[in-house]
Amino acid sequence: MKKQTFKKITLLLGIMMFSALFSNSIFAQSKVEATTSKAQQNLIVKGKVTDDKGALPGVNVVLKGSKVGAVTDENGEFTFPQSLSSGDVLVFSYLGYNKQNITIDAQTTYINLLMSDNVIEIMGAPSTDKPYKSKRSH
């Protein structure tokens, strides 16, 4: 009886070791495939930003949720300094224009963006009844 128990334990340990080795190789394969698919999604994104009058130099292009970004050149063109993946969002902002978010998909390599004016309303008017006085002491 002890011999049969020993054989069962040995067989059980062998099966456990085999399954552990086999599952590690499957895990390693799936990890390699995941890394490969992510590498395929690394996209270099370029583009041009314009308004109704032409190219816009100095537009900020920032990856949403990070501090990584670029600025358009004198021709309104930019190259994002970091490779992007599908689902990343680029935020375009420029003083006097509406902020725009562009979501990157698997085919995005070039963005041609037309910025629209942001109407700024001034609340109230300055008072001209009194002469201006500085609050600084001389």
Side-chain angles (χ1 to χ4, degrees), residues 51-71:
D51 67 354
D52 56 350
K53 297 173 190 127
L56 280 176
V59 176
N60 293 311
V61 183
V62 179
L63 178 61
K64 190 172 189 174
S66 77
K67 295 181 180 181
V68 178
V71 177

Side-chain angles (χ1 to χ4, degrees), residues 38-117:
K38 185 163 179 102
Q40 291 172 350
Q41 288 189 4
N42 288 343
L43 304 166
I44 301 298
V45 176
K46 297 180 180 185
K48 184 171 185 174
V49 181
T50 58
D51 67 354
D52 56 350
K53 297 173 190 127
L56 280 176
V59 176
N60 293 311
V61 183
V62 179
L63 178 61
K64 190 172 189 174
S66 77
K67 295 181 180 181
V68 178
V71 177
T72 58
D73 63 12
E74 63 274 356
N75 299 322
E77 297 176 345
F78 72 93
T79 300
F80 203 75
Q82 168 181 312
S83 57
L84 301 170
S85 298
S86 182
D88 286 342
V89 177
L90 291 180
V91 179
F92 292 80
S93 61
Y94 192 68
L95 186 63
Y97 290 83
N98 290 320
K99 188 182 288 189
Q100 294 190 27
N101 295 337
I102 302 294
T103 303
I104 304 300
D105 62 18
Q107 288 81 31
T108 305
T109 57
Y110 193 84
I111 297 172
N112 197 359
L113 181 66
L114 178 65
M115 300 280 289
S116 60
D117 293 341

Side-chain angles (χ1 to χ4, degrees), residues 10-23:
T10 306
L11 181 61
L12 185 59
L13 284 174
I15 291 171
M16 287 173 44
M17 287 175 53
F18 178 77
S19 66
L21 289 172
F22 184 73
S23 67

